[in-house]
Amino acid sequence: MEDDKGFKPDDSGLAPYSITDMDDDKILAGLIRDYPDALSDRKRLQALLLDLFPQDKRKRNLLMIVFDDGIVDEMRGLAQIDKMALHRFVRSVEMGYDIRTRSAEAAVMAWAKAMGLSMEGKDVPENVMRALAHAQESSPAQKKEWVPCESDSLYEYEETSRGLRILKYVDFDEPVVVIPNVIEGKKVIAVGNYAFKGCVGIEKVIVSEGIEILGNGAFLNCRGLKEVSLPTSLRGIGSTDATGCPKILGSEIKYEGAFEYSGLESVTVPESVKYIGENSFAGCGQLRRAALPDKLKEIRENTFRWCKSLREVVFPRELDTVRISAFEGCDVLQTVDLPEGVTSIEEGAFAGCKGLESIYIPDSVVEIGGGKGTGFLKTFGEPDERHENFTIRCHLGSYAMQYARAQQIRCVQG
């Protein structure tokens, strides 16, 4: 029996596969009913498809492609399938195996119907479905291909030497908003300061590939915003300082964070980002997890201040400095493991973290409590504000051990 895995059905030039004139879903439903183990055994499934469709290599290959792409396995855990998921499955087959859209959709639908999945949800705007699918075509570590993504939403914008900067979102709040990378045929390079400030009805934002910068306060007070998809083209979130502010953002510098006081529940910052400005996620009371890019050198002042639900932080591998009050008031943060290479933890960095039980401080740290703050905040807060079992994990003879002794903080071998 030949292995058809590498065959591309649309290479033959024949008409695309369609389920409109055949009962493939009913045949597949019978296969699933009579041979449920086949969905866990590729060779078994391939043999059964050969028996069921002996004269149609094209069909067998398409159905196997959906299986090999992991879609069938994902469907097995669903009771219903919405149009966003369906579109994502179709795009995965279409783009990953060079299959025509019509053929990919027919194969995916055949499996979905065979497994008894009902459709749910309202129609989703095409630009949203396209952006959702594109956001999932590559892993976060891969550079994604830039594809034009326009939008029917209304924006005020201005032209810069490098491209358009969105100044303001002037449409009604929608549950899902796709920020386009093209407006009237011109490339969008940045989302400017306060562009979406106060848009409390937006629940999810998809930032299209090609956009490089998010300005200060871009999503300030977007309290309904629970999820954001950031592109691999993104280089910076917020401004640097009054002299180093990227010109693309304009001249206004107030250091209000890009997502400050938003409703974000989780955020993964792409590896392409080299700078995250002050206050970027401050006051995000629902934020539970934050994953930062490996090459980020600093966690800036107040970046996660008062993120009272923050439980997990994935720290950058190349992190050098944790700035003033970076994690102040993160009540439920329990354990912190700073990466090797960190040299400085500034004052108030973990003040008010009442749930913090332990922190690992590597030998590379040579300064704790520095910085240009008021000097009133201790790095780990006042003794009566700390967890009763707060412990510094470190190595014998390290600077961290000396600091722990001087501050009368319990320390153990890290």
Side-chain angles (χ1 to χ4, degrees):
M1 180 176 63
E2 62 180 319
D3 186 346
D4 299 333
K5 185 176 181 180
F7 178 77
K8 291 184 178 180
D10 290 331
D11 286 347
S12 65
L14 299 177
Y17 162 41
S18 172
I19 61 171
T20 57
D21 56 352
M22 55 191 73
D23 295 325
D24 294 346
D25 56 304
K26 295 179 181 178
I27 296 173
L28 286 176
L31 182 153
I32 294 170
R33 181 187 64 246
D34 298 335
Y35 306 97
D37 61 318
L39 297 186
S40 302
D41 186 338
R42 184 181 188 278
K43 290 185 177 180
R44 175 70 163 155
L45 177 61
Q46 191 175 35
L48 288 168
L49 290 178
L50 183 60
D51 290 341
L52 295 170
F53 307 107
Q55 305 300 321
D56 201 331
K57 186 176 182 180
R58 169 190 296 273
K59 189 179 302 182
R60 296 198 307 271
N61 275 275
L62 276 166
L63 295 172
M64 284 303 303
I65 281 173
V66 177
F67 177 84
D68 288 331
D69 202 47
I71 294 171
V72 172
D73 190 56
E74 188 170 344
M75 285 181 177
R76 292 171 71 181
L78 302 176
Q80 294 178 310
I81 183 170
D82 60 32
K83 291 192 176 182
M84 286 188 184
L86 176 62
H87 188 75
R88 175 167 58 88
F89 293 153
V90 171
R91 287 285 289 173
S92 181
V93 172
E94 179 186 8
M95 302 301 293
Y97 298 87
D98 194 23
I99 306 298
R100 297 180 188 178
T101 302
R102 182 179 168 190
S103 296
E105 184 176 28
V108 170
M109 284 300 298
W111 277 111
K113 289 183 177 182
M115 302 177 81
L117 299 182
S118 60
M119 293 294 299
E120 68 170 3
K122 300 178 181 178
D123 289 340
V124 181
E126 178 60 29
N127 68 309
V128 175
M129 294 177 71
R130 185 167 61 246
L132 280 170
H134 183 63
Q136 296 168 348
E137 284 170 12
S138 305
S139 66
Q142 294 175 320
K143 187 69 176 179
K144 299 176 188 175
E145 179 185 359
W146 185 91
V147 294
C149 179
E150 298 212 39
S151 173
D152 295 330
S153 296
L154 302 177
Y155 296 92
E156 293 178 3
Y157 58 89
E158 65 181 5
E159 195 164 353
T160 74
S161 60
R162 295 189 55 229
L164 300 184
R165 173 174 62 241
I166 291 175
L167 298 177
K168 190 175 182 180
Y169 178 74
V170 292
D171 207 346
F172 292 105
D173 292 0
E174 297 289 343
V176 181
V177 170
V178 178
I179 301 179
N181 54 26
V182 174
I183 295 178
E184 296 186 356
K186 297 180 180 180
K187 184 176 180 179
V188 177
I189 197 72
V191 178
N193 299 332
Y194 311 107
F196 288 82
K197 178 181 177 181
C199 293
V200 297
I202 297 175
E203 298 177 6
K204 178 173 182 176
V205 167
I206 302 167
V207 184
S208 295
E209 283 295 328
I211 294 176
E212 298 181 9
I213 299 171
L214 300 180
N216 293 326
F219 302 96
L220 180 67
N221 291 329
C222 292
R223 298 185 181 276
L225 180 61
K226 299 178 181 179
E227 183 179 357
V228 62
S229 174
L230 300 174
T232 60
S233 57
L234 196 65
R235 296 188 294 108
I237 299 175
S239 301
T240 52
D241 53 45
T243 57
C245 174
K247 292 181 179 179
I248 194 71
L249 291 176
S251 59
E252 188 177 10
I253 305 297
K254 289 186 179 179
Y255 295 118
E256 288 179 309
F259 295 94
E260 190 170 357
Y261 294 111
S262 72
L264 283 183
E265 297 177 350
S266 177
V267 64
T268 298
V269 181
E271 291 298 322
S272 55
V273 172
K274 302 299 189 295
Y275 180 86
I276 298 176
E278 299 176 6
N279 303 290
S280 286
F281 303 99
C284 293
Q286 306 304 314
L287 186 66
R288 296 189 298 270
R289 182 180 187 274
L292 302 175
D294 281 340
K295 294 187 179 299
L296 191 70
K297 301 297 184 183
E298 297 182 356
I299 299 179
R300 299 281 294 184
E301 183 173 340
N302 303 327
T303 297
F304 294 100
R305 192 180 190 189
W306 302 318
C307 290
K308 295 185 177 295
S309 299
L310 188 64
R311 292 184 177 275
E312 180 184 358
V313 180
V314 180
F315 286 93
R317 293 182 181 179
E318 299 184 17
L319 183 65
D320 178 78
T321 304
V322 182
R323 294 289 183 192
I324 297 169
S325 298
F327 293 93
E328 182 184 350
C330 293
D331 289 347
V332 298
L333 192 63
Q334 293 183 334
T335 304
V336 169
D337 291 282
L338 295 178
E340 302 293 335
V342 173
T343 63
S344 175
I345 308 170
E346 294 188 350
E347 64 183 84
F350 295 94
C353 295
K354 299 177 182 179
L356 186 62
E357 297 181 18
S358 73
I359 181 171
Y360 170 71
I361 301 178
D363 292 351
S364 54
V365 170
V366 295
E367 181 182 48
I368 300 177
K372 297 180 180 180
T374 62
F376 293 115
L377 278 177
K378 293 185 179 295
T379 302
F380 302 102
E382 298 294 335
D384 59 352
E385 296 175 338
R386 301 173 194 152
H387 190 279
E388 60 182 357
N389 297 322
F390 177 63
T391 302
I392 289 177
R393 291 176 284 121
C394 56
H395 294 142
L396 190 66
S398 66
Y399 178 84
M401 184 177 182
Q402 298 174 35
Y403 173 86
R405 289 283 185 263
Q407 298 295 321
Q408 301 181 43
I409 298 173
R410 180 173 180 263
C411 64
V412 299
Q413 179 70 26

